[in-house]
Amino acid sequence: MTLWSGGRFEEGPAESLWRFTVDTSDRRMLVDDITGSIAHATMLGRVGLLTPDEASLLLEALGAIKDEAEASRFVFLDTDEDVHSAVERRLGEAIGDIAGKLHTGRSRNDQVALDLRLYLKRSARDRISQLTGFIRVLVELAEAVGDTVVPSYTHLQQAQAVPLAHHLLAYAWMFKRDIERFSDAGKRIDVSPLGAGASGGSSLPIDAGTSAEILGLASVFDNSMDAVGARDFASEYVWCATQSMLHLSRLAEDLLLWSTSEFGWVTFSDSFTTGSSAMPHKKNADIAELVRGKAATLVGDLTSIAALQKGLPMTYNRDLQEDKRIVFHADDVLAGSLEALGGMLSTADFHTPDPSDWVAALDLAEILVLRGIPFREAHHLVGGLVAELVARGESFADLTADQITEFDARFVADDIASVDPVRSMEDRVTHGGGSMASVAVQLVALEDFLADS
Ligand code: ARG
């Protein structure tokens, strides 16, 4: 029995229609759906659309159904068209025809928008807390690796010497912005659409403000058509999840590179790696590869949720039933990735080799700049020195004071000391730069952030 059979329908739904239109992906919103119904029934009682007796009967039964749902005892039937129909069916089983009063002044259109908002409000909080935990892992790692020096890379070529902690904290700042994005999106999720009805409100004296307040939602819709037709809050959520996955995917790629025999910067614990069925020596970082792969599926989700809304006429159209699968998929993948990659990272063992001497080249050029030589000229000069050393099969470390001044009179003997990667790194004192002093400042800021979270 559907919520719409009888009435104008003389025949029941065809088997093929049923199989095609029924949705089960919304079952995870069961508790939210009941929470919404409890708020709605309470409001109906307050405005006098239900007598006090009717209101308590409905609310008591809904409370019992919520208990069933929370204890995973709620049984769905094949005849339930969606989660809303299932709850109304169960309510009917419990209290009979009076259950039919619950849908007074309400439509599944405002109901489903509400359920998704309640679900995402909670999910956003969960993802924020997971992202905070991930930042904590990065901060702890940054502290643990101390003053280990690595090359930074641009174009995947060694660039400048930086603390490994600086590289790790670059991700901490990215994830902090992801948190801010989720929290900002949360403001637009935190709006009640309940009371918008099918699309144009109701002639009954329902009160949207009351149900919003009961639900603890921050505000109420301004336009009933917008309330039931809009899904920008859902696409924004998918965008937040996608951007976080893109950050995770970049970190995963770095970790994969670092774990190769060629880099040899990191070893992952046995419990977070997998073996090869063929090659006995292999220890694979499948978690990182899967995070990288799964990030691609979120890019797909983002396209899907955008395409779903393109050209959709006002207001609610059944197309919107597809939004939930997309949002849930994106959210589940992000939740799983944060957990798995966080575990792999927190148990990783870092042992980075020293960077090549070349990473001090820019710092050497900057020493010349301090002596008044135009940067372009200094760049050319150091480049020439590098070329000569490369031709001799040598590097900065092989240079003597005589050689550097002989190479060009604009160098002084002391410049030899500056081509040490660690020294050059520590001389780099610019704001947020790659020095231990900057790492110390960043750690204080991130620790403050974590303490306030
Ligand atoms: N299952 C539907 C969805 O997810 C619920 C709303 C149905 N509304 C309707 N008028 N058929 O969008």
Side-chain angles (χ1 to χ4, degrees), residues 23 26 82 84 108-109 112 316 318 320-321 324:
D23 186 29
D26 62 3
D82 51 25
H84 326 294
R108 277 186 295 168
N109 299 352
V112 71
Y316 175 85
R318 192 71 179 261
L320 291 178
Q321 180 164 284
K324 287 171 282 304

Side-chain angles (χ1 to χ4, degrees), residues 4 21-23 25-26 29 81-85 107-113 198 231 316-324:
W4 36 270
T21 56
V22 162
D23 186 29
S25 73
D26 62 3
M29 305 191 308
E81 191 182 9
D82 51 25
V83 69
H84 326 294
S85 318
S107 153
R108 277 186 295 168
N109 299 352
D110 55 349
Q111 195 177 353
V112 71
R231 288 297 182 273
Y316 175 85
N317 296 271
R318 192 71 179 261
D319 315 41
L320 291 178
Q321 180 164 284
E322 295 299 312
D323 62 357
K324 287 171 282 304

Side-chain angles (χ1 to χ4, degrees), residues 405-440:
T405 47
E406 259 163 43
F407 176 79
D408 194 287
R410 284 165 288 184
F411 285 116
V412 299
D414 268 1
D415 291 344
I416 281 296
S418 317
V419 293
D420 168 48
V422 178
R423 158 94 192 267
S424 71
M425 178 182 94
E426 289 314 326
D427 283 351
R428 228 181 298 123
V429 289
T430 48
H431 171 84
S435 65
M436 281 310 291
S438 147
V439 165

Side-chain angles (χ1 to χ4, degrees), residues 178-194:
D178 291 336
I179 290 175
E180 288 160 8
R181 247 183 297 279
F182 269 112
S183 130
D184 197 54
K187 290 183 215 152
R188 282 171 291 280
I189 290 171
D190 204 2
V191 181
S192 178
L194 193 58

Side-chain angles (χ1 to χ4, degrees), residues 332-352:
D332 291 348
V333 170
L334 175 61
S337 301
L338 282 166
E339 191 188 341
L341 201 68
M344 194 173 105
L345 196 57
S346 61
T347 53
D349 190 15
F350 283 87
H351 33 74
T352 60

